[in-house]
Coordinates of all heavy atoms in Angstrom, one line a residue:
M1382 N 34.9 -139.3 258.5 CA 36.2 -140.1 258.4 C 36.7 -139.7 257.0 O 36.1 -139.7 256.0 CB 35.8 -141.5 258.4 CG 37.0 -142.4 258.4 SD 36.4 -144.1 258.8 CE 37.8 -145.0 258.4
N1383 N 38.0 -139.5 257.0 CA 38.6 -139.1 255.7 C 39.5 -140.2 255.2 O 39.6 -141.3 255.8 CB 39.5 -137.8 255.8 CG 40.6 -137.9 256.9 OD1 41.1 -139.0 257.1 ND2 41.0 -136.8 257.4
D1384 N 40.1 -140.0 254.0 CA 40.8 -141.1 253.3 C 42.1 -141.4 254.1 O 42.6 -142.5 254.0 CB 41.2 -140.6 251.9 CG 40.0 -140.6 251.0 OD1 39.0 -141.3 251.3 OD2 40.0 -139.9 250.0
D1385 N 42.7 -140.5 254.8 CA 43.9 -140.7 255.6 C 43.6 -141.8 256.7 O 44.5 -142.6 256.9 CB 44.4 -139.5 256.2 CG 45.0 -138.5 255.2 OD1 45.4 -139.0 254.1 OD2 45.1 -137.3 255.5
D1386 N 42.5 -141.7 257.3 CA 42.1 -142.7 258.3 C 42.1 -144.1 257.7 O 42.5 -145.1 258.3 CB 40.8 -142.4 259.0 CG 40.9 -141.1 259.9 OD1 42.1 -140.8 260.3 OD2 39.9 -140.5 260.2
A1387 N 41.4 -144.2 256.6 CA 41.3 -145.5 255.9 C 42.7 -146.0 255.5 O 43.0 -147.2 255.6 CB 40.4 -145.4 254.7
S1388 N 43.6 -145.1 255.0 CA 44.9 -145.5 254.7 C 45.7 -146.0 255.9 O 46.5 -147.0 255.8 CB 45.6 -144.3 254.0 OG 47.0 -144.6 253.7
D1389 N 45.5 -145.3 257.0 CA 46.2 -145.7 258.3 C 45.8 -147.1 258.7 O 46.6 -147.9 259.1 CB 46.0 -144.7 259.4 CG 46.7 -143.4 259.1 OD1 47.6 -143.3 258.3 OD2 46.3 -142.4 259.8
D1390 N 44.4 -147.3 258.6 CA 43.9 -148.6 259.0 C 44.5 -149.7 258.1 O 44.8 -150.8 258.5 CB 42.4 -148.7 258.9 CG 41.7 -147.8 260.0 OD1 42.4 -147.5 261.0 OD2 40.5 -147.5 259.8
S1391 N 44.6 -149.4 256.8 CA 45.1 -150.3 255.8 C 46.6 -150.6 256.1 O 47.0 -151.8 256.0 CB 45.0 -149.8 254.4 OG 45.6 -150.6 253.5
D1392 N 47.3 -149.6 256.4 CA 48.8 -149.8 256.8 C 48.9 -150.6 258.0 O 49.8 -151.5 258.1 CB 49.4 -148.4 257.0 CG 49.7 -147.7 255.7 OD1 49.5 -148.2 254.6 OD2 50.1 -146.5 255.8
I1393 N 48.1 -150.5 259.0 CA 48.1 -151.3 260.2 C 47.9 -152.7 259.9 O 48.5 -153.6 260.4 CB 47.2 -150.7 261.3 CG1 47.7 -149.4 261.8 CG2 47.0 -151.7 262.4 CD1 46.7 -148.6 262.7
A1394 N 46.9 -152.9 259.1 CA 46.5 -154.3 258.6 C 47.7 -155.0 257.9 O 48.0 -156.1 258.1 CB 45.3 -154.3 257.8
L1395 N 48.3 -154.2 257.0 CA 49.5 -154.7 256.3 C 50.7 -155.0 257.2 O 51.3 -156.0 257.1 CB 50.0 -153.7 255.2 CG 49.1 -153.6 254.0 CD1 49.6 -152.5 253.1 CD2 49.0 -154.9 253.2
E1396 N 50.9 -154.2 258.2 CA 52.0 -154.4 259.2 C 51.7 -155.7 260.0 O 52.6 -156.5 260.2 CB 52.1 -153.2 260.1 CG 52.7 -152.0 259.5 CD 54.2 -152.1 259.3 OE1 54.8 -153.0 259.7 OE2 54.7 -151.2 258.6
R1397 N 50.4 -155.9 260.3 CA 50.1 -157.1 261.1 C 50.3 -158.4 260.2 O 50.8 -159.4 260.6 CB 48.6 -157.1 261.5 CG 48.4 -156.2 262.7 CD 47.0 -156.2 263.2 NE 46.8 -155.2 264.2 CZ 45.7 -154.6 264.4 NH1 44.6 -154.8 263.6 NH2 45.5 -153.7 265.4
R1398 N 49.9 -158.3 258.9 CA 50.1 -159.4 258.0 C 51.6 -159.6 257.8 O 52.0 -160.8 257.8 CB 49.4 -159.0 256.7 CG 49.5 -160.1 255.6 CD 48.7 -161.3 255.9 NE 48.8 -162.2 254.8 CZ 48.9 -163.5 255.0 NH1 48.9 -164.1 256.2 NH2 49.1 -164.3 253.9
L1399 N 52.4 -158.6 257.7 CA 53.8 -158.7 257.5 C 54.4 -159.4 258.7 O 55.3 -160.3 258.5 CB 54.5 -157.4 257.3 CG 54.6 -156.9 255.9 CD1 55.1 -155.4 255.9 CD2 55.5 -157.7 255.1
A1400 N 54.0 -159.1 259.9 CA 54.6 -159.7 261.1 C 54.2 -161.2 261.1 O 55.1 -162.0 261.5 CB 54.0 -159.0 262.3
T1401 N 53.0 -161.5 260.7 CA 52.6 -162.9 260.7 C 53.4 -163.7 259.7 O 53.9 -164.8 259.9 CB 51.1 -163.0 260.3 OG1 50.3 -162.3 261.3 CG2 50.6 -164.5 260.3
L1402 N 53.6 -163.1 258.5 CA 54.4 -163.8 257.4 C 55.8 -163.9 257.8 O 56.4 -165.0 257.6 CB 54.3 -163.0 256.1 CG 52.9 -162.9 255.5 CD1 52.9 -162.0 254.3 CD2 52.5 -164.3 255.0
R1403 N 56.4 -162.9 258.5 CA 57.8 -163.0 258.9 C 58.0 -164.1 259.9 O 59.0 -164.8 259.9 CB 58.3 -161.7 259.4 CG 58.5 -160.6 258.4 CD 58.9 -159.3 259.0 NE 59.1 -158.3 257.9 CZ 58.7 -157.1 258.0 NH1 58.1 -156.6 259.1 NH2 59.0 -156.2 257.0
E1404 N 57.0 -164.2 260.8 CA 57.1 -165.2 261.9 C 57.0 -166.6 261.2 O 57.7 -167.5 261.6 CB 55.9 -165.0 262.9 CG 56.0 -166.0 264.0 CD 54.9 -165.7 265.1 OE1 54.4 -164.6 265.1 OE2 54.6 -166.7 265.8
E1405 N 56.1 -166.8 260.3 CA 55.9 -168.1 259.6 C 57.2 -168.4 258.8 O 57.6 -169.6 258.8 CB 54.7 -168.0 258.7 CG 54.4 -169.4 258.0 CD 53.2 -169.4 257.2 OE1 52.4 -168.4 257.2 OE2 53.0 -170.4 256.5
H1406 N 57.8 -167.4 258.2 CA 59.0 -167.6 257.4 C 60.1 -168.1 258.4 O 60.9 -169.0 258.0 CB 59.4 -166.3 256.7 CG 60.6 -166.4 255.8 ND1 61.8 -166.2 256.2 CD2 60.6 -166.7 254.5 CE1 62.6 -166.4 255.2 NE2 61.9 -166.7 254.1
Q1407 N 60.2 -167.5 259.5 CA 61.3 -167.9 260.5 C 61.0 -169.3 261.0 O 61.9 -170.1 261.2 CB 61.3 -166.9 261.7 CG 62.4 -167.2 262.7 CD 63.8 -167.3 262.0 OE1 64.2 -166.3 261.4 NE2 64.5 -168.3 262.3
D1408 N 59.7 -169.6 261.3 CA 59.4 -171.0 261.7 C 59.8 -172.0 260.7 O 60.3 -173.1 261.0 CB 57.9 -171.1 262.0 CG 57.4 -170.3 263.2 OD1 58.3 -169.9 264.0 OD2 56.2 -170.1 263.4
L1409 N 59.5 -171.7 259.4 CA 59.9 -172.6 258.3 C 61.5 -172.8 258.3 O 62.0 -173.9 258.0 CB 59.4 -172.1 257.0 CG 57.9 -172.3 256.8 CD1 57.4 -171.6 255.5 CD2 57.5 -173.8 256.7
S1410 N 62.2 -171.7 258.5 CA 63.6 -171.7 258.5 C 64.1 -172.7 259.6 O 65.0 -173.5 259.4 CB 64.3 -170.4 258.7 OG 64.0 -169.5 257.6
D1411 N 63.5 -172.6 260.7 CA 63.8 -173.4 261.9 C 63.5 -174.9 261.6 O 64.3 -175.8 261.9 CB 63.1 -173.0 263.1 CG 63.5 -171.6 263.6 OD1 64.6 -171.1 263.2 OD2 62.8 -171.0 264.4
A1412 N 62.4 -175.1 260.9 CA 62.0 -176.5 260.6 C 62.9 -177.1 259.6 O 63.3 -178.3 259.7 CB 60.5 -176.5 260.0
V1413 N 63.3 -176.3 258.6 CA 64.2 -176.8 257.6 C 65.6 -177.2 258.2 O 66.2 -178.2 258.0 CB 64.4 -175.8 256.4 CG1 65.6 -176.1 255.5 CG2 63.2 -175.7 255.6
A1414 N 66.1 -176.3 259.1 CA 67.3 -176.5 259.8 C 67.3 -177.8 260.6 O 68.2 -178.6 260.6 CB 67.7 -175.4 260.6
A1415 N 66.1 -178.0 261.3 CA 66.0 -179.2 262.1 C 65.9 -180.5 261.2 O 66.5 -181.5 261.6 CB 64.7 -179.1 262.9
L1416 N 65.2 -180.4 260.1 CA 65.2 -181.6 259.2 C 66.5 -181.9 258.6 O 66.9 -183.1 258.4 CB 64.1 -181.3 258.1 CG 62.7 -181.4 258.5 CD1 61.8 -180.9 257.4 CD2 62.3 -182.8 258.9
E1417 N 67.3 -180.9 258.3 CA 68.6 -181.1 257.6 C 69.6 -181.7 258.6 O 70.6 -182.3 258.2 CB 69.1 -179.7 257.1 CG 68.4 -179.3 255.9 CD 68.8 -177.9 255.3 OE1 69.4 -177.1 256.1 OE2 68.6 -177.7 254.2
E1418 N 69.4 -181.5 259.9 CA 70.3 -182.1 260.9 C 70.0 -183.6 261.1 O 70.9 -184.2 261.7 CB 70.1 -181.3 262.2 CG 70.7 -179.9 262.2 CD 70.4 -179.2 263.5 OE1 69.9 -179.8 264.4 OE2 70.7 -178.0 263.5
R1419 N 68.9 -184.1 260.7 CA 68.6 -185.5 260.9 C 69.6 -186.4 260.1 O 70.1 -186.0 259.0 CB 67.2 -185.8 260.4 CG 66.1 -185.3 261.3 CD 64.8 -185.7 260.8 NE 63.8 -185.2 261.7 CZ 62.5 -185.5 261.5 NH1 62.1 -186.1 260.4 NH2 61.6 -185.0 262.3
P1420 N 69.9 -187.6 260.6 CA 70.8 -188.5 259.9 C 70.4 -188.8 258.4 O 71.2 -188.9 257.5 CB 70.8 -189.8 260.7 CG 70.2 -189.4 262.0 CD 69.4 -188.2 261.8
M1421 N 69.1 -189.0 258.2 CA 68.5 -189.2 256.9 C 67.4 -188.3 256.6 O 66.2 -188.6 256.8 CB 68.1 -190.7 256.7 CG 69.2 -191.7 256.8 SD 68.8 -193.3 256.3 CE 68.4 -193.1 254.6
P1422 N 67.7 -187.0 256.2 CA 66.7 -186.0 256.1 C 65.7 -186.4 254.9 O 66.1 -187.0 253.9 CB 67.4 -184.7 255.8 CG 68.8 -185.2 255.3 CD 69.0 -186.5 255.9
D1423 N 64.5 -186.0 255.0 CA 63.5 -186.1 254.0 C 63.6 -185.0 253.0 O 63.1 -183.9 253.3 CB 62.1 -186.2 254.6 CG 61.0 -186.4 253.6 OD1 61.2 -186.3 252.4 OD2 59.8 -186.6 254.1
M1424 N 64.3 -185.2 251.9 CA 64.6 -184.1 251.0 C 63.4 -183.6 250.3 O 63.3 -182.4 250.0 CB 65.7 -184.6 250.0 CG 67.0 -185.0 250.6 SD 67.7 -183.8 251.7 CE 68.1 -182.5 250.6
L1425 N 62.4 -184.4 250.1 CA 61.1 -183.9 249.5 C 60.4 -183.0 250.4 O 60.0 -181.9 250.0 CB 60.2 -185.1 249.2 CG 58.9 -184.8 248.5 CD1 59.2 -184.1 247.1 CD2 58.1 -186.0 248.2
Q1426 N 60.4 -183.3 251.7 CA 59.7 -182.4 252.7 C 60.5 -181.1 252.8 O 59.9 -180.0 252.9 CB 59.6 -183.0 254.0 CG 58.8 -182.2 255.0 CD 58.6 -182.9 256.4 OE1 59.3 -183.9 256.6 NE2 57.8 -182.4 257.2
I1427 N 61.8 -181.2 252.8 CA 62.7 -180.0 252.9 C 62.4 -179.1 251.7 O 62.3 -177.9 251.8 CB 64.2 -180.4 253.0 CG1 64.4 -181.0 254.4 CG2 65.1 -179.2 252.8 CD1 65.8 -181.6 254.6
A1428 N 62.4 -179.7 250.5 CA 62.1 -178.9 249.3 C 60.8 -178.2 249.3 O 60.7 -177.1 248.9 CB 62.2 -179.8 248.0
R1429 N 59.8 -178.9 249.8 CA 58.4 -178.3 249.9 C 58.5 -177.1 250.9 O 57.9 -176.1 250.6 CB 57.4 -179.3 250.4 CG 57.0 -180.3 249.4 CD 56.1 -181.4 249.9 NE 55.7 -182.3 248.9 CZ 55.4 -183.6 249.1 NH1 55.4 -184.0 250.4 NH2 55.1 -184.4 248.1
L1430 N 59.1 -177.3 252.0 CA 59.2 -176.2 253.0 C 60.0 -175.0 252.4 O 59.6 -173.8 252.6 CB 59.9 -176.7 254.3 CG 59.1 -177.7 255.1 CD1 59.9 -178.2 256.3 CD2 57.8 -177.1 255.6
K1431 N 61.0 -175.3 251.7 CA 61.8 -174.2 251.0 C 61.0 -173.5 250.0 O 61.1 -172.2 249.9 CB 63.1 -174.7 250.4 CG 64.1 -175.1 251.5 CD 65.4 -175.5 250.9 CE 66.5 -175.7 251.9 NZ 67.8 -176.1 251.3
R1432 N 60.2 -174.2 249.2 CA 59.3 -173.5 248.3 C 58.3 -172.6 249.0 O 58.0 -171.5 248.5 CB 58.5 -174.6 247.4 CG 59.3 -175.0 246.2 CD 58.5 -175.7 245.2 NE 57.8 -176.9 245.7 CZ 58.4 -178.1 245.8 NH1 59.6 -178.3 245.4 NH2 57.7 -179.1 246.3
R1433 N 57.7 -173.1 250.1 CA 56.8 -172.3 250.9 C 57.5 -171.1 251.4 O 56.9 -170.0 251.4 CB 56.2 -173.2 252.0 CG 55.3 -172.4 252.9 CD 54.0 -172.0 252.3 NE 53.2 -171.2 253.2 CZ 52.5 -170.2 252.9 NH1 52.4 -169.7 251.6 NH2 51.8 -169.5 253.8
K1434 N 58.7 -171.3 251.9 CA 59.5 -170.1 252.4 C 59.7 -169.1 251.3 O 59.5 -167.9 251.6 CB 60.9 -170.6 252.9 CG 61.1 -170.7 254.3 CD 62.5 -171.1 254.7 CE 63.4 -170.0 254.4 NZ 64.8 -170.2 254.9
L1435 N 60.0 -169.5 250.1 CA 60.2 -168.6 249.0 C 58.9 -167.9 248.7 O 58.9 -166.6 248.4 CB 60.8 -169.3 247.8 CG 61.1 -168.5 246.6 CD1 62.2 -167.4 246.9 CD2 61.6 -169.4 245.4
S1436 N 57.8 -168.6 248.7 CA 56.5 -167.9 248.4 C 56.2 -166.9 249.5 O 55.8 -165.8 249.1 CB 55.5 -169.0 248.4 OG 54.2 -168.5 248.3
L1437 N 56.5 -167.2 250.7 CA 56.3 -166.2 251.8 C 57.2 -165.0 251.6 O 56.7 -163.9 251.8 CB 56.6 -166.9 253.2 CG 55.5 -167.8 253.7 CD1 56.0 -168.5 255.0 CD2 54.2 -167.2 253.9
K1438 N 58.4 -165.2 251.2 CA 59.4 -164.1 251.0 C 58.9 -163.2 249.9 O 58.9 -162.0 250.1 CB 60.8 -164.7 250.7 CG 61.8 -163.6 250.6 CD 62.0 -163.0 252.0 CE 63.1 -162.0 251.9 NZ 63.3 -161.2 253.2
D1439 N 58.4 -163.8 248.8 CA 57.8 -163.0 247.8 C 56.6 -162.1 248.2 O 56.5 -161.0 247.9 CB 57.4 -163.9 246.6 CG 58.5 -164.5 245.8 OD1 59.7 -164.1 246.0 OD2 58.3 -165.5 245.1
E1440 N 55.8 -162.7 249.0 CA 54.6 -162.0 249.6 C 55.1 -160.9 250.5 O 54.5 -159.8 250.5 CB 53.6 -162.9 250.2 CG 52.3 -162.2 250.6 CD 51.3 -163.2 251.1 OE1 51.4 -164.4 251.1 OE2 50.2 -162.6 251.6
I1441 N 56.1 -161.2 251.3 CA 56.6 -160.2 252.3 C 57.2 -159.0 251.5 O 56.9 -157.8 251.8 CB 57.7 -160.8 253.2 CG1 57.1 -161.8 254.2 CG2 58.5 -159.7 253.9 CD1 58.1 -162.6 254.9
V1442 N 57.9 -159.2 250.4 CA 58.5 -158.2 249.6 C 57.4 -157.3 249.0 O 57.4 -156.1 249.0 CB 59.5 -158.7 248.6 CG1 59.9 -157.7 247.6 CG2 60.7 -159.3 249.3
R1443 N 56.4 -158.0 248.5 CA 55.2 -157.3 247.8 C 54.5 -156.4 248.8 O 54.2 -155.2 248.5 CB 54.3 -158.3 247.2 CG 53.1 -157.7 246.5 CD 52.2 -158.8 245.9 NE 51.6 -159.6 247.0 CZ 50.6 -159.2 247.8 NH1 50.1 -158.0 247.7 NH2 50.1 -160.0 248.7
L1444 N 54.3 -156.9 250.0 CA 53.6 -156.1 251.0 C 54.5 -154.9 251.5 O 54.0 -153.8 251.7 CB 53.2 -156.9 252.2 CG 52.1 -157.9 252.0 CD1 51.8 -158.8 253.2 CD2 50.8 -157.2 251.5
E1445 N 55.8 -155.2 251.6 CA 56.7 -154.1 252.0 C 56.7 -153.0 251.0 O 56.8 -151.8 251.3 CB 58.1 -154.6 252.2 CG 58.3 -155.4 253.5 CD 59.6 -156.1 253.6 OE1 60.4 -156.3 252.6 OE2 60.0 -156.5 254.7
D1446 N 56.7 -153.4 249.7 CA 56.6 -152.4 248.6 C 55.3 -151.6 248.7 O 55.3 -150.4 248.4 CB 56.7 -153.1 247.2 CG 58.1 -153.6 246.9 OD1 59.0 -153.2 247.6 OD2 58.2 -154.4 246.0
Q1447 N 54.2 -152.2 249.1 CA 53.0 -151.4 249.2 C 53.1 -150.4 250.4 O 52.5 -149.3 250.3 CB 51.8 -152.4 249.5 CG 51.3 -153.2 248.3 CD 50.1 -154.0 248.7 OE1 49.7 -154.1 249.8 NE2 49.6 -154.8 247.7
L1448 N 53.8 -150.8 251.4 CA 53.9 -149.9 252.6 C 54.9 -148.7 252.3 O 54.7 -147.6 252.8 CB 54.4 -150.6 253.8 CG 53.3 -151.5 254.5 CD1 53.9 -152.3 255.6 CD2 52.2 -150.6 255.1
M1449 N 55.9 -149.0 251.5 CA 56.9 -147.9 251.2 C 56.9 -147.7 249.7 O 57.7 -148.3 249.0 CB 58.2 -148.4 251.7 CG 58.2 -148.5 253.2 SD 59.7 -149.0 254.0 CE 61.0 -148.1 253.2
P1450 N 56.0 -146.8 249.2 CA 55.9 -146.6 247.8 C 57.2 -145.9 247.2 O 58.0 -145.3 248.0 CB 54.8 -145.6 247.6 CG 54.6 -145.0 249.0 CD 55.1 -146.0 250.0
D1451 N 57.5 -146.1 246.0 CA 58.7 -145.5 245.3 C 58.6 -144.0 245.4 O 57.5 -143.4 245.1 CB 58.8 -146.0 243.9 CG 59.1 -147.5 243.8 OD1 59.7 -148.0 244.8 OD2 58.9 -148.0 242.7
I1452 N 59.7 -143.4 245.7 CA 59.8 -141.9 245.7 C 60.7 -141.5 244.6 O 61.9 -141.9 244.5 CB 60.3 -141.4 247.1 CG1 59.3 -141.8 248.2 CG2 60.4 -139.9 247.0 CD1 59.8 -141.4 249.6
I1453 N 60.2 -140.8 243.6 CA 61.0 -140.3 242.5 C 61.6 -139.0 242.9 O 61.0 -138.0 243.3 CB 60.1 -140.1 241.3 CG1 59.4 -141.4 240.9 CG2 60.9 -139.5 240.1 CD1 58.4 -141.3 239.8
A1454 N 63.0 -139.1 242.9 CA 63.7 -137.9 243.4 C 64.2 -137.1 242.2 O 64.4 -137.5 241.2 CB 64.9 -138.3 244.2

């Protein structure tokens, strides 16, 4: 087994993790939208969900950067 195989396995694991994070991020977006539509929304809960969404987005960006390294032209 060579290093390319290990790299491919790692990339597949990162892609799976990214898909999971993106799904969770979308679920949180839906939850925030639903809470905001209520007559008296719980602003504290909305703020917590938005912070979690931001945290997920940061992790998504970090993983995407790992999958697509900078190319110096």
Side-chain angles (χ1 to χ4, degrees):
M1382 184 169 170
N1383 60 28
D1384 289 338
D1385 290 338
D1386 290 340
S1388 177
D1389 289 344
D1390 290 343
S1391 176
D1392 287 351
I1393 291 169
L1395 285 176
E1396 289 287 350
R1397 286 183 184 145
R1398 178 74 177 138
L1399 269 172
T1401 302
L1402 292 173
R1403 288 178 179 139
E1404 184 177 340
E1405 186 177 349
H1406 187 269
Q1407 184 58 51
D1408 290 346
L1409 287 172
S1410 292
D1411 295 343
V1413 167
L1416 286 172
E1417 290 175 336
E1418 289 176 6
R1419 291 183 175 180
M1421 295 194 59
D1423 181 349
M1424 299 309 291
L1425 183 59
Q1426 186 177 13
I1427 290 172
R1429 287 176 180 151
L1430 292 176
K1431 286 183 174 183
R1432 275 195 302 274
R1433 176 67 181 141
K1434 254 183 74 173
L1435 185 57
S1436 172
L1437 287 173
K1438 186 64 176 175
D1439 289 344
E1440 189 172 352
I1441 289 168
V1442 168
R1443 185 181 58 77
L1444 291 176
E1445 286 173 342
D1446 287 346
Q1447 284 182 359
L1448 284 173
M1449 297 183 39
D1451 293 338
I1452 298 175
I1453 300 173

